[in-house]
Every structure is written in C-alpha cells, then in structure tokens.
Amino acid sequence: MKTYVTISLDTRKARKDSTFPILFRISHKRKTIPIASGFSVKDSDWDEKRKVVKNSYKGIDTPSRLNNLLLSKKSEMLTKITKLYEAAQLDSMDVSELKQRLLESEKSNLFLEYTNKQ
C-alpha cells in the first residue's frame, strides 16, 4: 500500500488575516491531492520539520489541542484507507475517488450498508 497522508501548511495562499491554511495531503499512486483541515495559522507558528503547530500559537484552541485534532483526523483517514486496502478497493481507485471516500461521513456509509441489506 503506497498511500500516505501528511499534514502541511499551504504557504501559497495567504488569508486576509495573514494566516495560511493547514492541509492534509493525500498521496496515492504518485498523485497528490489536498484536503482542507479547516484550521489556519501564521507561518511563524508552524514547525515545518515536525509538521505541528508551535507553542507560540495564540488562537482559539491551544497548540496541543489543535495538534491533537489534526493527528486525530489524520488517524481517521489512515483507518479508512486501511479498510479500503483490506477490502481490495484501494488499488482500483484514483486519488480523487479516494478523496471523495475520505470525506464521506460515517452516517452515509451506514445508510448505504442498510440499503444494500434491504
């Protein structure tokens, strides 16, 4: 399985408040696609080497809480990728299909399973 999820700061697109969005980058079959995390920080508050928010961050959440939220979301994505791999569905997907699957909520999966059983 050659599929990766990394957390990165998108320094190409500054927001009006001079912060940059934090992205999840999904790499699958040598192609990469971003997924927005919904969080943004200043460039000076981002540790590029460790891929975490520095303690100098003064936002709504504390740096450790924000880092935990990002790692939790990354873990959820990796769990979904592993399930797709185990079900032998991952190899037949391209990166945009994988992104769509990762963004699906659990409720829609439960509904789909229910309708398939009926």
Side-chain angles (χ1 to χ4, degrees):
M1 181 173 77
K2 296 281 185 178
T3 305
Y4 305 100
V5 178
T6 57
I7 302 171
S8 65
L9 190 69
D10 188 4
T11 55
R12 298 172 299 156
K13 303 173 187 176
R15 294 188 175 175
K16 290 180 182 178
D17 59 355
S18 71
T19 61
F20 296 97
I22 299 173
L23 302 176
F24 296 102
R25 296 206 183 271
I26 311 300
S27 299
H28 178 65
K29 293 184 179 179
R30 297 184 182 184
K31 304 233 186 227
T32 303
I33 195 163
I35 296 179
S37 69
F39 299 104
S40 62
V41 297
K42 292 184 179 182
D43 190 30
S44 59
D45 293 330
W46 181 254
D47 185 352
E48 185 62 35
K49 186 177 181 182
R50 295 178 35 221
K51 307 286 187 191
V52 296
V53 177
K54 292 180 183 177
N55 288 334
S56 62
Y57 174 69
K58 302 288 186 218
I60 297 171
D61 291 336
T62 62
S64 59
R65 177 166 163 68
L66 183 54
N67 286 327
N68 288 338
L69 287 171
L70 293 171
L71 289 175
S72 172
K73 185 65 177 171
K74 179 181 175 180
S75 177
E76 288 175 19
M77 289 181 187
L78 289 172
T79 300
K80 287 181 182 181
I81 290 169
T82 303
K83 287 180 182 178
L84 290 170
Y85 176 75
E86 290 171 349
Q89 297 175 347
L90 187 63
D91 291 335
S92 63
M93 293 180 165
D94 66 357
V95 72
S96 60
E97 290 172 329
L98 179 59
K99 177 182 177 178
Q100 186 177 24
R101 278 296 198 68
L102 292 176
L103 293 176
E104 286 178 354
S105 68
E106 291 297 322
K107 291 180 182 178
S108 64
N109 289 339
L110 294 175
F111 178 74
L112 183 64
E113 290 175 16
Y114 173 76
T115 56
N116 286 339
K117 286 180 183 176
Q118 295 302 320

